[in-house]
Amino acid sequence: MTHMTHMTHMPRRIGLIGFGSIGQSILRAWPDGDAVAHRLAAILVRPHQCEAARALVPTAVHVTDAIDDFLTAGLDLVVEAAGHGAVLAHGERILRGGTDLMLLSIGSLAQEPVLQRMRQAATDGGAQMLLPVGAIAGLDGLMALRQAGLSRVTYTSTKPPASWRDTPAESNVDLDRLTQPTVVFSGTAREAATLYPKNANLAAAVALAGLGFDETRVELVADPAATGNSGRIDAHGVTSRLSVMVAGSSAPGNPKTSQIVGMSVLSALFNQASPIRFV
């Protein structure tokens, strides 16, 4: 008689890069999240953030400002929440070392050489780039339409005028005097991710799930009546059409980012560990 035994899985050790508004939102929500098969093991922060980070996490979590030290923590997955610079500085090394990398700064992949190097590093290391989809609904439907034949995709991001400060939008319109929704950028996803790196990460995700960076149209809108951020996908396939929108509040301390972005990380971790897994 054969006895079946259930394998006991050790919690996956997670490393987090970034202690900005998104990184802190992930850390604050972590104890209340249901990612039971995941354990926060290490955080990579800037030197001046070490003390504040240590005050926010349990003592068992290793806080460091050195990438070499960070990578000695035996990590199974690294979550990047620190901006394009962190992806360029550390992404290839993490993937080539065999550690999966969950990217929030997806717009960094709009640079074709970066995308190719990251893909090669992942292949060489037997690792994956993971792109959490929780911050923008509809990517699953978009990928299904792509398989059936996708002809047109437009992504529209609408935010309050303050969210477009310190971007090229300031030279296109007077953000302080807007009285109605105004398009501050219209072009390809590649152009959007390059010109608006802190505002167009979701546009990059839509591009990667659909027609690519050069065939995906993006419109960025400043709306004085908006109280938060919204993202809308409109896609046309051979036999189907997709239209979906997600709207929510901005992240505290960072009007360019929605609060849901940080929660999308915990959602992805929970989904990975759940007995019922959405794919």
Side-chain angles (χ1 to χ4, degrees), residues 33-229:
D34 293 320
V36 292
H38 303 278
R39 177 178 298 156
L40 184 63
I43 311 175
L44 180 65
V45 301
R46 298 184 187 279
H48 69 276
Q49 297 172 325
C50 286
E51 186 176 346
R54 290 191 180 103
L56 191 60
V57 299
T59 53
V61 178
H62 183 54
V63 178
T64 180
D65 60 6
I67 182 66
D68 290 343
D69 190 23
F70 176 74
L71 292 177
T72 61
L75 304 174
D76 300 300
L77 169 69
V78 171
V79 177
E80 173 277 315
H84 291 201
V87 177
L88 300 178
H90 309 308
E92 289 179 69
R93 178 179 178 182
I94 291 168
L95 291 167
R96 189 165 281 111
T99 302
D100 290 342
L101 177 62
M102 184 178 289
L103 289 170
L104 291 183
S105 302
I106 304 171
S108 61
L109 303 180
Q111 303 175 55
E112 191 62 27
V114 174
L115 177 59
Q116 294 305 327
R117 289 198 305 268
M118 294 279 282
R119 276 180 169 158
Q120 189 60 54
T123 300
D124 293 345
Q128 286 185 306
M129 285 180 279
L130 308 176
L131 311 182
V133 300
I136 178 68
L139 294 188
D140 50 353
L142 187 59
M143 289 186 286
L145 259 66
R146 183 177 67 182
Q147 294 299 317
L150 195 56
S151 58
R152 187 166 79 249
V153 179
T154 301
Y155 174 73
T156 305
S157 175
T158 301
K159 300 180 181 182
S163 298
W164 302 109
R165 297 198 189 286
D166 302 320
T167 75
E170 288 188 314
S171 61
N172 298 335
V173 299
D174 187 342
L175 295 173
D176 293 323
R177 296 180 180 273
L178 295 183
T179 59
Q180 60 186 6
T182 302
V183 176
V184 298
F185 169 85
S186 180
T188 68
R190 192 181 304 279
E191 293 168 335
T194 302
L195 293 171
Y196 295 82
K198 295 182 179 179
N199 288 276
N201 285 311
L202 296 182
V206 171
L208 288 167
L211 290 176
F213 283 100
D214 296 315
E215 299 300 324
T216 301
R217 301 298 302 177
V218 173
E219 287 199 342
L220 305 180
V221 179
D223 184 356
T227 56
N229 304 339

